[in-house]
Amino acid sequence: MLEKVGLLSKSELRSILRGLDEIATEIQAGKFRWQVDLEDVHMNIEAELTRRVPAGAKLHTGRSRNDQVALDMRLWLRDELGRLLGDLRSLQRALVALAERESKVVIPGYTHLQRAQPVYFSHHLLAYVEMLDRDRERFAQGHVRLNVCPLGSAALAGSTLPLDRELVARLLGFVDQRGKPRITSNSMDAVSDRDFVVEFCSSAALLAVHLSRLAEDLILWATSEFGFIRIADAYTTGSSLMPQKKNPDVAELMRGKSARVLGNLVALLTLLKGLPMTYNRDLQEDKERLFDTADTVSVTVRLCTSMLLHTHANRAVCLAAASDPALLATDLADYLVRKGLPFRHAHHAVGELVALAERANKPLDRLTLAELRSVEAAFAPDALRVFDLRLALARRTLPGAPGTREVRKQLLRWKKTLA
C-alpha cells in the first residue's frame, strides 16, 4: 500500500518484503533473538528489519502501535474463530455418533433431578447438538463484527499521509461477502474498541456453560446410582486411596473450566467499564483474558469430543430405569383427555391413582381395571396399554418431541447437516 501511494519505491518494497520473509522464517524456526528492551513484537521486528534493510525504517509510516495492536488482535482472533468453529463441528459429530450408536436406548428424562418422562438417550444428546449450534451461530455472527480493519487509524487521529485504507483491508481479508473492503469509520473508536474481544469471551462463556452442563450429565450418568454410561479408562482416574474408584476427571475438569472462562469475561467487562477514550495502557490486560479463554474452550471442546467417542451406554441399566411405569403417569392422564375429560380433572385422577398404588405397594401399571375405575369411571380395558414403553414413545409424534420417528428424523437431519 505504501508503495502504491508513492511512499515507498519498488526497490524499497522488494527489499522490505524480502527482509520480512527472512525474519518470519527465523521466528518459525525459533532462531530469532527477541530483545526485551525493545518492548514489543513490532519494535523487535522493525529494528531487526532496519538493521538488515535500511528501507525498513519506513515500515512504520502512517502507523501507531495502537492501531497495529487492534489489527493484530482481530487477525489472531479471526484465525482462532475459524479453528474453534471447526472444533465445535467435530464435537457435534461426536454427539451425533454416540446418539446413533445408542439410538434404541431409552432413559428417564428428569425435571428437578426427579424422574419425569421417558426419552430416547439420543434425544437427550441431540439437545446438546442444538445448544452447540447456537454457540456456532453466535461465534459466526461475532466474526462479522470482528472482521473490520482498523489499520490507518494511527494513534487516535488518523494520518495526514495519503494512505489507502481500503487496499490494506482488502489485502488482509477484511471484506464482506461481496468482496467489498470493511474499514472502521472512527479512528478513536478503532484503537480503543475491544467489543469484539468481549463478544468472543461472552460467546465462549456461554459455550463453557453448555459444556459444563453436558459434563454434569455425564458425571451423573457415570455414577453407581445412575449407571447409564461407561466412560473409557483413558478419560477417568483412580483414587489414591480407594482402589475401586473410577473418577470421571475429564468431565469434572470440563465443568470446572467453565468458572475460569466466566471469570475472564467478568474481568474484561470490569477492565473496560471506566476507560476514557482512546487507548489506555490498561488495555494490555485484555490479552491474558482473551488468550486464556480461547485456549481453555478450544482444549475443552477437543477433549470432550474424544471422550464422547469413547463412551458407551449401559443399555440394560437404562432400560430398567426407563421402564418405571410412573414415568408414563402423564400418558395415563392424556388417555383420559382423549375420553373427553378436562386435563385438570384427568391430572387429579391420575394423582389419586399414584397414591393408591403407593398405599397398595405396587407399581402403577399393576393396578387392576377395577382399581382404576374406583377413581375414574372413564377408564376402559385398554387403559393399561398406556404403559407399553415402545408404544408410548411411538405416540410422541409432535415436531421436536422424543418420539421414535421424530428422533430418527432429527438424527438424519443432523447427520446430513454435519456431513
Side-chain angles (χ1 to χ4, degrees), residues 74 78 142-149 173-176 182:
R74 288 174 187 266
R78 195 171 65 183
H143 181 274
V144 173
R145 287 180 286 278
L146 158 74
N147 201 38
V148 183
C149 185
F174 289 98
V175 295
D176 63 18
R182 303 181 71 218

Side-chain angles (χ1 to χ4, degrees), residues 33 82 120 161 249 385 389 404:
R33 292 183 62 185
Y120 279 102
L161 297 171
D249 280 16
R385 291 186 63 198
L389 181 60
T404 307

Side-chain angles (χ1 to χ4, degrees), residues 198-218:
V198 173
E199 190 168 359
F200 172 80
C201 289
S202 175
S203 298
L206 189 48
L207 167 60
V209 167
H210 290 159
L211 294 172
S212 181
R213 293 183 67 185
L214 172 58
E216 175 66 5
D217 274 338
L218 296 172

Side-chain angles (χ1 to χ4, degrees), residues 3-34:
E3 187 271 334
K4 184 195 173 198
V5 300
L7 295 173
L8 285 179
S9 68
K10 290 187 182 300
S11 62
E12 287 175 326
L13 174 63
R14 285 193 297 270
S15 62
I16 287 175
L17 292 176
R18 186 168 57 249
L20 287 172
D21 286 340
E22 291 172 358
I23 291 172
T25 300
E26 291 174 19
I27 291 173
Q28 290 166 353
K31 296 179 180 179
F32 187 80
R33 292 183 62 185
W34 299 99

Side-chain angles (χ1 to χ4, degrees), residues 2 21 44 109 139 155 159 164 170 231 246 305 310 356 387:
L2 293 176
D21 286 340
N44 268 267
F139 284 121
S159 175
D164 189 340
R170 193 178 289 109
I231 300 173
K246 185 177 176 181
T305 299
H310 296 86
L356 175 62
F387 294 102

